[in-house]
Structures are given as structure tokens and as C-alpha cells.
Amino acid sequence: MLVAIDGPAGAGKSTVARAVARALGFTYLDTGAMYRCAALAWPRDVATLDIAFDGDRVLCDGEDVSDAIRTREVSEKASEVAARPDVREALVARQRALIAGGDWVAEGRDIATVVAPDAEVKVFLTASPQERARRRAAELGADAHVVAQELAMRDQRDTGHGRSTLEPAPGAELLDTTGLSIDEVVQRIVERVRQ
Ligand code: DC
């Protein structure tokens, strides 16, 4: 079974997807981390990269890059490389191979549209621009106004190629997390899956 969670940066996708996976006993797939690895290793050909997950750790060619892929520079670069059709094609193929067996919660921008349009549960997670900027700024220790501008630019860049960054995929449930606690959001998705 597959739970697809898409939505823009700062909507809470990673935290929520990880917690939903834990609650259901499913495996969590962070597809954004794969684009981030491609950005970190750029200009190496993504097809030659060994990207692996070990619990919460992200490994690229055996090296722990969990922290290195979360910098602002890598976020910017990831958004750029994710707009390349060759990079998308390579990573989408790997994502499909991974989720082909077992139960997964996969999170990204194009899970319900491109990677797995037949996912059993599709959720589009979002939050107000102010809330998204506030959360991201707190994570990065940065100024919320600057982060808000960066997020608006990334939203534009992260659109296209079949991605649902700004609006839900067909058949996806829109879940606005503004003002909701993580537990409330997780609970709603878990209930939906159990139904
Ligand atoms: O979700 P994130 O911020 O870790 O994603 C990093 C970048 O990769 C972001 O710019 C959007 C892009 N991305 C994508 O295009 N498709 C995905 N399935 C996941 C992420």
C-alpha cells in the first residue's frame, strides 16, 4: 500500500510523513532527499550515485549526508536540478522501483501525479505562506521575511514537470496544516488510511 504526500516546502511534509509511517508501520520515503543528493553531488551524473536510506540517515555513496543536504545552498541547487528532465527521469525510476514492494509513505512533489498516480491514499499538505516561512525560518535559524521570499521563488521553480506544488493532484485530499498540531495532522491521515 502507498500513502502519497505532496505539497510545497515548509508545509510539514517530512515531519508528518515520517510520523504517519511510524504510526502505520510503513516505510518512509523522502524523495526530496534524493534531489538534494543529486544537488550535493552536482555535476556528477545522478545515474552513478548510490543513494540510500538508513533509518533517518541519508547516505550518498556510503557517506552520511543527512546534514549536508539540508543547507540553504543545497535547497536552492536541489530546486534547480529538480527542473532537469534527465534528473527527474532517473530519480522517478528509482522511486518506483523502491515502492514497488511493501507498504510506504512517500513524500515529495509528484508522488500522486507522476511517481504513483494509483496510490491508495493521496494527500496534498499545505499551510499559509506565513506559517510555512515561520516554520522554515525556525528550522534554519534565519529571518522569516527572507525565508518567505525564498519559499515563494522555490514554489515557482518547483512547479511544472507534473508536480503538484501549488495545488492538489486529482483525487488528493487537501489538508491545510495552518493552526493544526503535528499530532492532529498525523491522526487525520492515519484515520484516512485505516478507512
Ligand atoms: O521537499 P524538499 O524541500 O526536500 O525537496 C528538495 C527539492 O526537490 C525541492 O526544490 C523540490 C524538489 N522535489 C521535486 O521536484 N520532486 C520531488 N518528488 C521531491 C522534491
Side-chain angles (χ1 to χ4, degrees):
M1 175 167 188
L2 175 66
V3 181
I5 302 183
D6 292 303
K13 292 191 306 290
S14 301
T15 311
V16 167
R18 195 174 273 120
V20 168
R22 198 177 308 120
L24 293 167
F26 290 13
T27 310
Y28 165 58
L29 178 61
D30 176 0
T31 61
M34 300 173 85
Y35 289 94
R36 288 169 179 273
C37 286
L40 189 66
W42 197 256
R44 262 189 63 193
D45 180 359
V46 68
T48 67
L49 293 180
D50 173 20
I51 302 170
F53 295 94
D54 176 19
D56 285 345
R57 295 189 314 146
V58 183
L59 307 175
C60 189
D61 288 340
E63 190 191 337
D64 186 342
V65 294
S66 316
D67 294 330
I69 59 169
R70 301 291 165 195
T71 65
R72 274 159 104 176
E73 291 73 23
V74 173
S75 298
E76 288 297 306
K77 188 76 191 164
S79 182
E80 269 173 55
V81 305
R84 295 181 57 106
D86 54 333
V87 171
R88 300 203 71 78
E89 197 183 321
L91 292 182
V92 167
R94 283 198 209 182
Q95 290 154 17
R96 286 186 179 144
L98 275 170
I99 61 176
D103 296 317
W104 293 84
V105 179
E107 167 243 308
R109 301 288 191 297
D110 59 347
I111 309 301
T113 47
V114 176
V115 178
D118 52 358
E120 285 85 350
V121 175
K122 301 174 189 176
V123 178
F124 181 79
L125 217 59
T126 191
S128 70
Q130 298 84 342
E131 178 70 8
R132 290 169 52 209
R134 195 191 58 73
R135 290 178 190 164
R136 250 315 135 85
E139 254 170 48
L140 296 167
D143 179 76
H145 287 99
V146 177
V147 174
Q149 285 170 356
E150 285 174 4
L151 282 181
M153 273 170 5
R154 272 183 69 196
D155 282 354
Q156 290 306 323
R157 272 215 308 265
D158 292 343
T159 300
H161 305 281
R163 291 175 288 184
S164 67
T165 294
L166 300 173
E167 55 184 42
E173 181 188 345
L174 173 74
L175 192 43
D176 187 336
T177 68
T178 314
L180 293 179
S181 71
I182 291 166
D183 281 352
E184 284 170 316
V185 178
V186 171
Q187 203 52 43
R188 283 196 202 185
I189 299 175
V190 166
E191 272 165 23
R192 177 107 196 272
V193 175
R194 294 210 166 115
Q195 273 166 18

